[in-house]
Amino acid sequence: MGSLRFNYKKRLSYIPFVLVLLDLQHEGVQCGKNAEVENHLELGKKLLAAGQLADALSHFHAAVDEDPKNYMAYYRRATVYLAMGKSKSALPDLSNVVELKPDFTSARLQRGNLLLKQGKLDEAEEDFKKVLKSSPSAKEETDAKTQLIKCDEMQRLLVQTHREFNNEDYKTAAAQLDTLLETCVWDVALRELRAECYIQLGELGKAISDLKAATKLKNDNTAAFYKISTIYYKLGDHEMSLNEIRECLKLDPDHKQCFSHYKQVKKLNKQIMSAEELISEEKYTDAISKYESVMKTELNVPYYTMQAKERVCHCLSKNQQALEAIETCTEVLKSDPHNVNVLKDRAEAYLLDEQYHEAVRDYETAQEHSESDPQVKEGLERAQRLLKQSQKRDYYKILGVKRNAQKKEIIKAYRKQAQQWHPDNFQDEEEKKKAEQKFIDIASAKEVLTDPEMRRKFDEGQDPLDPENQQGGDNGGHHFHRGWNSWQGFNPFGSGSFNFKFQHN
């Protein structure tokens, strides 16, 4: 009960209503005496005082059912509704009180306050004027006069707001609506008008906030749900768009606008989700095809085209289609030059195409905008190593193969090069020495690129045959050299592995 009493006090933003309820001036009023009705009213009053609002409400319901002409039963029930924050339910009860007892100034004053909050300015003004004509208490008179002045201010400001809106001065109109909504907090039309101002000003987050409030203030507000969905859609949030348009269709399954939009969003959402699932399964070619379908499905919202191209760029890079990836990624970066994900994907494509300077540049740009991204840090370090490595000996270039070449391609290229550069093919002494060195490089390239672990190290920017990269080795600051003598009699067309002998120059 303690927590109930606390909640009751916390929610009691309408203290004047309760005070009026308990005011002794109404305790002795005869309301068509009925023992059972009076019992419900008394029990409800005690429960209300104890903070047990739901139980009190049940007794006041019973009192109204027993005697629909009992204005005090309506008034007390309205008081509980207000304490519970249910102003919509309180308003009809207050109207019943005023109809049954027109000189009940407290009820009329409270109804006027609710009507003012709902933005029904003319009706509220009428209530406040009638309060002043019905011999009110000093406090009621003061309150009614104050609220009449407020009604007049709001009516004049509302005229100005519509004028500014029609003149397309949305910033001024929005500022005036801020003032109006401080008083008319439950006015759905004002919130929707301010949302439209925000849309015109490009402040879509604020527009969504006002429209969501409008859906709560008006239960069947399909128009607001539709507008929220279209805003989310234009922002690229297809999942939220789908959620909101479903709310519209729950209210009206036959709503033409909502159903048409629902079909479009659902189709697009399905394509995007399917494409992302294919990417997670590393089926990049299929994912590219699916994202191409996304671009065909939605031609009028640029966000989805750019998002699709961004993901196609990623897939091409992952699929080791370097040139295509570079082209697509570059197109995206023209519109979004600081897109870290696209910069990373293009950098990887540049590495595949052995454009190391460009890869380093992209990773450096990405790092400027995402210093804490571990992928960027690792990628930059790797690109820098590969750039440095490319300025020394590149096993891929020696064999004339791409960095993504398969083992069969590497062996084929090796055999062709070894046949061409075998020293026995040369008679001139200088040419033979040149061929010997070339043959050694070809054999070294074949050894590194056909060994998965050695190739992995080389792809990370380390030369596994360079003594500088060997742990525990003393290279004396010299580069290694493999002697031709160790290769004499070797068959370059065999499939066996090699055992190299290292000699210092």
Side-chain angles (χ1 to χ4, degrees):
M1 185 179 290
S3 65
L4 281 170
R5 193 168 291 150
F6 173 77
N7 288 334
Y8 169 66
K9 290 178 180 178
K10 183 177 179 182
R11 298 173 67 181
L12 214 54
S13 58
Y14 297 95
I15 294 295
F17 301 115
V18 179
L19 293 177
V20 171
L21 166 65
L22 300 177
D23 198 307
L24 291 175
Q25 66 178 316
H26 300 301
E27 287 298 310
V29 177
Q30 299 298 312
C31 306
K33 283 290 185 178
N34 178 296
E36 193 169 348
V37 171
E38 290 303 318
N39 185 47
H40 281 305
L41 291 175
E42 188 61 29
L43 287 172
K45 176 183 171 183
K46 289 178 180 178
L47 290 165
L48 177 59
Q52 298 180 41
L53 302 182
D55 292 336
L57 189 61
S58 296
H59 281 286
F60 295 142
H61 281 323
V64 169
D65 291 341
E66 286 289 333
D67 186 1
K69 299 294 184 181
N70 190 313
Y71 71 87
M72 187 55 68
Y74 287 113
Y75 185 67
R76 289 184 178 176
R77 187 168 72 175
T79 302
V80 178
Y81 279 138
L82 290 168
M84 297 173 80
K86 297 180 177 181
S87 61
K88 287 183 182 179
S89 299
L91 191 57
D93 276 356
L94 290 171
S95 294
N96 282 325
V97 174
V98 171
E99 185 180 341
L100 291 167
K101 190 170 177 57
D103 62 344
F104 196 159
T105 55
S106 294
R108 192 179 290 279
L109 184 61
Q110 304 310 335
R111 187 176 73 169
N113 288 331
L114 292 183
L115 291 169
L116 179 58
K117 288 185 177 183
Q118 290 183 344
K120 297 177 180 179
L121 302 178
D122 292 336
E123 295 176 48
E125 183 179 23
E126 185 180 348
D127 268 346
F128 296 137
K129 285 180 177 177
K130 286 184 177 179
V131 167
L132 294 175
K133 293 177 182 178
S134 58
S135 303
S137 67
K139 185 179 184 308
E140 289 171 343
E141 183 178 1
T142 300
D143 289 347
K145 286 180 178 179
T146 300
Q147 296 299 69
L148 264 177
I149 293 170
K150 180 65 71 175
C151 279
D152 183 58
E153 290 175 355
M154 295 300 101
Q155 285 171 332
R156 284 187 286 106
L157 186 57
L158 185 59
V159 172
Q160 293 173 20
T161 300
H162 282 292
R163 182 170 61 246
E164 300 299 345
F165 183 86
N166 292 333
N167 290 334
E168 300 183 6
D169 185 353
Y170 302 113
K171 187 174 182 180
T172 302
Q176 291 171 340
L177 284 162
D178 290 343
T179 304
L180 281 162
L181 283 163
E182 286 175 7
T183 299
C184 308
V185 291
W186 301 329
D187 191 323
V188 177
L190 291 182
R191 289 200 177 272
E192 291 178 341
L193 186 62
R194 187 169 69 174
E196 189 58 38
C197 288
Y198 286 142
I199 290 170
Q200 297 299 329
L201 293 169
E203 299 183 55
L204 299 182
K206 290 182 179 180
I208 288 172
S209 179
D210 265 345
L211 289 168
K212 285 192 172 183
T215 64
K216 290 179 173 60
L217 291 168
K218 183 181 176 184
N219 293 332
D220 60 345
N221 201 339
T222 55
F225 279 119
Y226 174 74
K227 190 164 282 189
I228 294 170
S229 179
T230 57
I231 293 173
Y232 275 129
Y233 187 75
K234 289 175 183 176
L235 287 172
D237 195 336
H238 51 91
E239 291 183 85
M240 285 299 295
S241 178
L242 191 60
N243 290 340
E244 296 297 330
I245 207 66
R246 280 173 174 157
E247 292 301 318
C248 174
L249 291 172
K250 284 180 186 177
L251 295 172
D252 181 3
D254 298 321
H255 195 289
K256 290 184 179 180
Q257 272 188 313
C258 287
F259 186 68
S260 176
H261 186 59
Y262 168 74
K263 288 193 296 183
Q264 172 71 5
V265 181
K266 186 180 179 182
K267 180 180 180 180
L268 188 75
N269 184 69
K270 185 177 180 181
Q271 288 175 335
I272 292 173
M273 299 301 285
S274 176
E276 287 302 311
E277 187 176 344
L278 289 167
I279 290 174
S280 68
E281 295 170 356
E282 300 184 1
K283 297 177 180 177
Y284 299 115
T285 302
D286 293 338
I288 290 168
S289 176
K290 190 63 70 174
Y291 266 118
E292 286 172 348
S293 297
V294 168
M295 287 186 269
K296 292 175 183 176
T297 297
E298 181 49 73
L299 301 172
N300 300 318
V301 181
Y303 175 89
Y304 293 108
T305 300
M306 293 311 296
Q307 182 196 48
K309 286 182 179 179
E310 176 181 335
R311 299 306 282 159
V312 169
C313 152
H314 175 73
C315 292
L316 289 168
S317 182
K318 286 290 187 182
N319 216 31
Q320 300 189 337
Q321 294 172 254
L323 295 177
E324 295 93 331
I326 291 167
E327 182 181 357
T328 304
C329 295
T330 300
E331 186 179 351
V332 176
L333 289 168
K334 285 178 182 177
S335 300
D336 188 6
H338 301 145
N339 189 316
V340 173
N341 290 327
V342 179
L343 285 166
K344 288 190 291 186
D345 286 328
R346 189 172 71 171
E348 288 300 312
Y350 277 138
L351 290 178
L352 282 170
D353 200 46
E354 301 174 13
Q355 299 186 53
Y356 304 115
H357 285 286
E358 289 79 359
V360 169
R361 183 195 63 209
D362 271 359
Y363 270 125
E364 286 175 341
T365 304
Q367 192 173 53
E368 290 173 10
H369 301 282
S370 184
E371 294 180 3
S372 59
D373 189 330
Q375 287 184 340
V376 172
K377 183 180 178 183
E378 183 277 327
L380 178 58
E381 291 173 353
R382 179 161 44 84
Q384 289 169 335
R385 286 197 304 268
L386 288 168
L387 173 61
K388 184 179 178 181
Q389 181 189 83
S390 70
Q391 295 164 346
K392 295 180 180 179
R393 183 165 62 167
D394 188 330
Y395 294 124
Y396 290 104
K397 285 186 177 179
I398 289 170
L399 293 182
V401 296
K402 290 287 187 181
R403 296 189 77 89
N404 58 351
Q406 301 296 315
K407 187 174 181 179
K408 286 182 179 180
E409 297 175 65
I410 292 167
I411 292 172
K412 182 179 179 181
Y414 158 72
R415 287 174 175 170
K416 181 180 179 181
Q417 296 274 11
Q419 184 182 35
Q420 179 182 348
W421 290 99
H422 195 288
D424 290 349
N425 295 335
F426 300 87
Q427 301 303 318
D428 182 81
E429 198 61 32
E430 286 299 320
E431 289 183 353
K432 187 181 285 289
K433 284 183 179 180
K434 180 181 176 182
E436 285 177 4
Q437 184 57 52
K438 187 75 173 177
F439 189 86
I440 290 169
D441 287 343
I442 292 166
S444 299
K446 192 259 188 183
E447 180 186 18
V448 170
L449 298 183
T450 55
D451 182 288
E453 181 61 22
M454 294 176 78
R455 184 176 181 180
R456 182 187 65 79
K457 288 182 178 179
F458 185 74
D459 286 344
E460 290 176 352
Q462 303 176 38
D463 187 342
L465 299 183
D466 189 340
E468 289 183 0
N469 293 323
Q470 306 301 317
Q471 292 184 351
D474 180 13
N475 56 60
H478 297 293
H479 293 294
F480 75 97
H481 176 72
R482 193 168 306 205
W484 162 244
N485 293 334
S486 64
W487 293 98
Q488 292 183 10
F490 177 73
N491 176 14
F493 303 102
S495 59
S497 60
F498 308 65
N499 288 316
F500 294 102
K501 295 180 182 178
F502 290 89
Q503 297 178 0
H504 292 298
N505 287 328

